[in-house]
Amino acid sequence: MVDAKGKNMKCLTFFLMLPESVKRSKKGPKGNASSSSKLPPVCYEIITLKTRKKKMAAEIFPSKKPANSNSNTLQLYHQQNLNNNNTIPAPNWQGLYSTIRERNAVMFNNELMADIHFVVGPPGGTERLPGHKYVLAVGSSVFHAMFYGELAEDNDDIRIPDVEHTAFLAMLKYIYCDEIDLSADTVLATLYAAKKYIVPHLARACVNFLETSLSAKNACVLLSQSCLFEEPDLTQRCWEVIDAQAELALKSEGFCDIDFQTLESILRRETLNAKEIVVFEAALNWAEVECQRQDMTVSIDNKRKVLGKALYLIRIPTMALDDFANGAAQSGILTLTETNDIFLWYTAAKKPDLEFVSKARKGLVPQRCHRFQSCAYRSNQWRYRGRCDSIQFAVDKRVFIAGFGLYGSSCGSAEYSAKIELKRQGVILGQNLSKYFSDGSSNTFPVWFEYPVQIEPDTFYTASVILDSNELSYFGQEGMTEVQCGKVTVQFQCSSDSTNGTGVQGGQIPELIFYA
């Protein structure tokens, strides 16, 4: 199917409560199953989903190990069944397992007593999987309607072309074994299956997996998927990452895989924490890939064509003049009239009317967590001499550390060279070498990482700095082990990396600067 903009889109239409293979004609139900049923009628809702090419590989998510079974014997059956190499269990196999869950687990993907089969996957790539109506009906209201409802049919095979067989198996494993087995490659397809067959706890587990795997590299892709699956919590988490780590997200390969509607929503975003030239370059990269998706020649005209009105959502007039002159103005994507008008916008007293949004984005306002109640200086300290000041901290909510606030000279103005680092269990997550100017006051001075670093809750991280400049500076006193900063609680403890005297009670690194 081709939409109004010329894009190839595949529409999946299915009964949420009843797959295509068991739809009934308008004449009414057939077969003994429906005529003898005394169950009340079931309401069916038709849903049409527009889907783009799925990106399911581990390039989106870090790989995770599957869950382990509690029983070696049961695990052996699972492996045999997953390989479609299942065998009839030994006589009196029921006596080997003490719970109904374990006995049901033996039936997972097993031909033994199977009374239904699913032909799963697209034409040319199908697999035939056995099932047991009772177990399936207990696990899903959709399966209950399929097998025992008014519209039930007696088909031996049910065709499911829109679900990947690995995802369908993951759903069956949850229904039969009460085990959640997710991986980076299958989690989105499993979420689709769990939504289609109304298995809410599995769907929730898929969303949790996606949230814990969320990073700047996959946030844009997951944003489009979360909208498709109508998962507002996941959508909100995606926006948090995209806002705080906007430049990383826009430069990621995943950004080029999003659909046009998601592109527009990102370009409209008021709280996007990125330079406008980065937004502009990301949009051009997306346009190039979109031309390839639509089998169009990659050219300036076609890039502008696929961007359409979204081009005017890029706030080009808010760029630094150098960024515009050396970037957007020479890209060729703008007409001569647009280029001339934007130059006049920068320089002329009477500014021309522009189609582009000319108001700068608000971005995010950083929060500052100050851990000392006072500061001081003495004639013989605080000295540096290449030694490291370090402190450990943990937060109770996910935040993004943008930089540190540092003390400066206590002997008049001075320039400092600062090497800052952020580590978790010895692994460097972010670092930067920069300079800052101290005016001789007791104020703190911000030093920033190149990109904000995502910090997970309930885990200790190490903040470190090595300073080089005036030997004497202010230092903090009356340090607090716990600080409430807005809705975030920060705990501090001493770090073994600190070789210059900084600890919880006093020293350097008085502030953590973060987005939340």
Side-chain angles (χ1 to χ4, degrees):
M1 180 178 291
V2 181
D3 68 0
K5 296 179 181 178
K7 296 182 181 179
N8 293 320
M9 305 290 291
K10 183 171 75 172
C11 291
L12 303 178
T13 302
F14 58 86
F15 281 98
L16 183 62
M17 297 293 293
L18 199 61
E20 182 69 26
S21 57
V22 292
K23 287 185 187 176
R24 302 298 307 181
S25 66
K26 294 183 179 180
K27 295 180 180 180
K30 296 180 182 179
N32 295 331
S34 60
S35 59
S36 61
S37 174
K38 296 182 180 181
L39 295 174
V42 180
C43 179
Y44 301 92
E45 179 183 0
I46 298 178
I47 292 181
T48 300
L49 298 180
K50 290 184 177 180
T51 61
R52 297 176 63 84
K53 179 181 178 182
K54 294 180 181 178
K55 193 168 184 179
M56 308 297 292
E59 59 191 321
I60 301 181
F61 310 104
S63 59
K64 292 195 175 184
K65 295 182 179 179
N68 293 323
S69 174
N70 295 327
S71 167
N72 291 336
T73 306
L74 196 58
Q75 182 62 37
L76 178 60
Y77 279 130
H78 285 185
Q79 192 58 48
Q80 290 175 335
N81 295 352
L82 281 171
N83 296 335
N84 259 344
N85 189 28
N86 49 70
T87 58
I88 297 177
N92 194 30
W93 60 269
Q94 295 89 342
L96 298 175
Y97 308 107
S98 60
T99 67
I100 187 64
R101 184 192 70 82
E102 292 175 317
R103 292 190 287 275
N104 277 343
V106 175
M107 295 295 97
F108 164 59
N109 199 23
N110 198 324
E111 291 288 351
L112 180 64
M113 295 186 287
D115 51 3
I116 194 67
H117 286 82
F118 301 95
V119 181
V120 183
T126 60
E127 288 203 20
R128 191 169 185 265
L129 305 176
H132 305 77
K133 292 182 179 179
Y134 168 75
V135 178
L136 294 167
V138 169
S140 162
S141 59
V142 176
F143 286 133
H144 182 273
M146 289 168 61
F147 305 137
Y148 302 104
E150 285 193 348
L151 302 184
E153 287 190 358
D154 292 330
N155 293 345
D156 292 331
D157 288 351
I158 296 178
R159 298 188 179 277
I160 307 177
D162 59 325
V163 178
E164 297 180 13
H165 79 274
T166 51
F168 197 80
L169 272 176
M171 182 180 68
L172 292 184
K173 187 172 185 179
Y174 171 76
I175 293 174
Y176 279 80
C177 312
D178 200 24
E179 293 181 14
I180 297 174
D181 189 359
L182 301 174
S183 70
D185 291 332
T186 62
V187 61
L188 286 174
T190 303
L191 176 58
Y192 177 81
K195 287 278 190 176
K196 177 176 180 177
Y197 292 98
I198 311 182
V199 187
H201 297 292
L202 178 59
R204 185 67 252 169
C206 291
V207 172
N208 289 340
F209 183 99
L210 295 173
E211 288 182 349
T212 56
S213 304
L214 185 60
S215 69
K217 293 181 179 179
N218 58 34
C220 295
V221 175
L222 285 185
L223 177 64
S224 62
Q225 295 288 344
S226 66
C227 295
L228 174 67
F229 291 127
E230 297 181 344
E231 286 291 340
D233 291 342
L234 180 57
T235 300
Q236 178 59 32
R237 278 287 298 113
C238 290
W239 277 125
E240 290 174 5
V241 173
I242 293 171
D243 280 344
Q245 297 181 305
E247 294 195 1
L248 283 175
L250 293 173
K251 291 177 180 179
S252 68
E253 292 183 7
F255 178 79
C256 294
D257 293 322
I258 63 178
D259 57 86
F260 183 78
Q261 184 177 358
T262 305
L263 173 72
E264 284 189 311
S265 65
I266 292 175
L267 296 183
R268 285 195 178 97
R269 190 74 174 172
E270 189 70 29
T271 48
L272 210 58
N273 195 39
K275 295 179 180 178
E276 206 63 31
I277 186 63
V278 176
V279 179
F280 176 80
E281 291 170 349
L284 291 191
N285 291 337
W286 179 91
E288 180 175 339
V289 175
E290 183 65 14
C291 286
Q292 296 170 357
R293 277 194 290 262
Q294 296 191 27
D295 295 326
M296 300 168 64
T297 302
V298 178
S299 65
I300 295 297
D301 289 341
N302 284 339
K303 285 182 182 180
R304 183 168 178 124
K305 181 178 180 181
V306 297
L307 282 171
K309 292 293 184 180
L311 177 64
Y312 299 107
L313 299 176
I314 306 171
R315 308 186 182 193
I316 294 178
T318 69
M319 291 181 184
L321 181 56
D322 285 348
D323 287 341
F324 173 70
N326 297 315
Q330 298 187 45
S331 68
I333 202 74
L334 304 177
T335 65
L336 290 176
T337 300
E338 288 169 343
T339 303
N340 182 65
D341 286 348
I342 294 173
F343 268 121
L344 288 176
W345 175 270
Y346 282 108
T347 57
K350 183 179 180 181
K351 301 185 183 300
D353 294 329
L354 300 175
E355 287 191 71
F356 294 93
V357 179
S358 56
K359 183 180 178 181
R361 301 177 196 272
K362 293 180 180 178
L364 294 177
V365 178
Q367 299 184 45
R368 294 173 179 253
C369 174
H370 197 92
R371 67 188 188 93
F372 295 124
Q373 299 182 67
S374 65
C375 68
Y377 70 91
R378 300 191 187 101
S379 60
N380 62 342
Q381 59 178 313
W382 196 265
R383 299 180 182 275
Y384 297 106
R385 298 179 182 176
R387 293 189 290 258
C388 178
D389 288 287
S390 185
I391 191 72
Q392 286 192 322
F393 69 94
V395 293
D396 63 342
K397 291 180 177 62
R398 184 181 288 107
V399 300
F400 300 86
I401 297 293
F404 306 145
L406 303 177
Y407 287 123
S409 171
S410 59
C411 302
S413 60
E415 185 178 61
Y416 281 81
S417 174
K419 180 184 179 182
I420 59 173
E421 282 187 347
L422 188 60
K423 296 187 291 187
R424 177 182 179 182
Q425 297 177 347
V427 178
I428 296 176
L429 304 178
Q431 62 181 356
N432 199 16
L433 178 62
S434 62
K435 296 181 182 295
Y436 69 94
F437 180 78
S438 165
D439 60 6
S441 70
S442 60
N443 296 331
T444 59
F445 303 93
V447 180
W448 307 93
F449 290 106
E450 184 178 5
Y451 302 110
V453 181
Q454 181 170 308
I455 299 298
E456 299 298 330
D458 305 322
T459 301
F460 273 95
Y461 294 78
T462 303
S464 301
V465 61
I466 297 177
L467 291 171
D468 180 23
S469 185
N470 196 323
E471 283 287 288
L472 303 177
S473 80
Y474 287 91
F475 60 94
Q477 295 185 135
E478 301 178 275
M480 295 173 283
T481 58
E482 183 173 298
V483 179
Q484 187 71 32
C485 188
K487 296 181 179 180
V488 180
T489 302
V490 186
Q491 292 182 322
F492 294 96
Q493 67 180 27
C494 293
S495 168
S496 59
D497 291 349
S498 188
T499 58
N500 198 43
T502 288
V504 173
Q505 296 301 317
Q508 257 288 6
I509 317 181
E511 286 182 337
L512 300 178
I513 306 173
F514 65 93
Y515 301 114

